[in-house]
Amino acid sequence: MKEDERISAVKELLFAYVKSPSLRHIRDPYSLIRLAQEIVRRIDRGNSIWRKWDGQREVLLKSALGCWIPVEALRDFINEMPGPQVTATDVGQRLRAFEDEEYFSYPKEELRPGCLALYEKERAEGTELPAIIGLLRDHVEREEERLRAEQQERYQRWRDEDRMAREERLLSGADCKWTQLQKSPHCRANGRTYRLSPTKDKMWNLYRVSSVSEEDERALIGKYRGRGDATKVVSQMAYRPEPKW
């Protein structure tokens, strides 16, 4: 490929990328990785082992990644484009190669029913394949955002439930790891309660306390840089004879 051709190929890909209406998509690190991979592949296409795939065919096929378009529909449309005829195996394996190269583009199984239903609806209405692919890409992006939001919601709910369980365990008198209660984290080991209180110099005072009250400062054990240091001290002190404070 001549220098002018390489520049033209890179320019075409960059122009197509920045046309995206989604600012989130443009800034997405994974999207940038895909763009970089496509630039390299476009420049090195002369050495490709895939002989039936020119630029337009690959653009179409790559746009269908993750959309659950039936392979047979992609085959039939591609065979109407200029170039050698392809089989369903050609299409399926080229898709798989793209997915392997772009490991984050594997189709999500939970989106398959919705994508196929939308595909069948649009085909029945006579919508041409590139338009269906565009519609499905928008659908997949919305659904992936919904799945991420649901996953985050489940994770937050699990954190809240875990926090409440740890608080209940602390308040019940059972041994527990560091648990945030009011302003300070508390823990209990061997039936003994300890509290970490932040200091102005961004360190932690470790106290042996008899209750979870913030005013309870029965005995200062020491000052530490982080929870890890304090945890090591607690793990030893909790099982030694306790001095009279």
Side-chain angles (χ1 to χ4, degrees):
M1 184 181 288
K2 297 179 181 179
E3 182 176 357
D4 288 346
E5 294 175 334
R6 293 198 299 270
I7 293 173
S8 177
V10 173
K11 184 168 62 175
E12 178 185 346
L13 290 170
L14 290 175
F15 281 165
Y17 184 78
V18 298
K19 284 181 180 178
S20 171
S22 171
L23 187 59
R24 175 179 170 275
H25 170 262
I26 291 175
R27 292 178 174 176
D28 180 34
Y30 294 116
S31 297
L32 288 171
I33 291 172
R34 287 200 297 269
L35 174 62
Q37 291 172 332
E38 176 58 24
I39 289 173
V40 172
R41 278 195 294 272
R42 183 70 65 87
I43 293 175
D44 293 341
R45 180 165 289 135
N47 297 322
S48 174
I49 62 172
W50 300 93
R51 301 302 184 186
K52 295 183 178 181
W53 301 91
D54 62 14
Q56 290 303 311
R57 288 183 168 196
E58 288 199 342
V59 167
L60 175 77
L61 199 61
K62 288 184 66 178
S63 68
L65 283 172
C67 294
W68 291 107
I69 300 288
V71 169
E72 292 76 15
L74 291 167
R75 176 203 60 197
D76 294 344
F77 188 87
I78 290 169
N79 280 336
E80 294 175 0
M81 300 172 69
Q85 295 288 290
V86 296
T87 65
T89 302
D90 285 326
V91 176
Q93 292 304 308
R94 192 69 186 104
L95 277 172
R96 175 64 62 86
F98 281 141
E99 292 167 353
D100 289 343
E101 292 168 1
E102 302 175 15
Y103 56 91
F104 39 82
S105 293
Y106 286 106
K108 291 180 172 58
E109 184 65 36
E110 56 265 48
L111 301 184
R112 183 175 186 173
C115 286
L116 289 178
L118 190 55
Y119 166 80
E120 294 295 344
K121 172 180 176 294
E122 293 298 324
R123 288 292 285 179
E125 293 178 358
T127 308
E128 66 175 350
L129 190 62
I132 296 176
I133 292 174
L135 181 67
L136 284 175
R137 283 171 63 89
D138 292 340
H139 171 74
V140 167
E141 185 175 350
R142 288 192 302 270
E143 288 298 290
E144 287 180 341
E145 186 61 37
R146 178 182 62 80
L147 291 174
R148 279 192 292 269
E150 290 177 356
Q151 182 181 34
Q152 181 62 32
E153 183 180 345
R154 288 193 300 271
Y155 174 68
Q156 187 60 49
R157 186 165 56 247
W158 172 83
R159 286 193 61 181
D160 292 341
E161 292 171 354
D162 180 66
R163 175 182 54 78
M164 293 174 62
R166 286 187 285 110
E167 288 180 1
E168 291 176 3
R169 186 174 180 83
L170 174 67
L171 294 172
S172 71
D175 284 2
C176 61
K177 297 180 180 180
W178 292 111
T179 301
Q180 191 75 25
L181 196 65
Q182 301 177 48
K183 297 180 181 179
S184 303
H186 294 71
C187 79
R188 185 175 291 110
N190 196 27
R192 301 174 186 177
T193 307
Y194 300 87
R195 186 179 74 240
L196 278 175
S197 296
T199 64
K200 293 181 179 179
D201 55 355
K202 298 183 179 180
M203 296 186 70
W204 297 89
N205 282 336
L206 175 63
Y207 294 94
R208 166 71 171 96
V209 296
S210 56
S211 71
V212 295
S213 170
E214 290 290 328
E215 286 72 35
D216 185 350
E217 295 184 356
R218 175 178 167 186
L220 174 63
I221 297 173
K223 192 174 185 179
Y224 305 94
R225 292 186 179 278
R227 289 192 188 187
D229 296 331
T231 300
K232 292 178 183 177
V233 173
V234 169
S235 66
Q236 297 174 6
M237 291 194 64
Y239 298 93
R240 293 176 180 173
E242 191 166 34
K244 296 181 179 180
W245 305 102

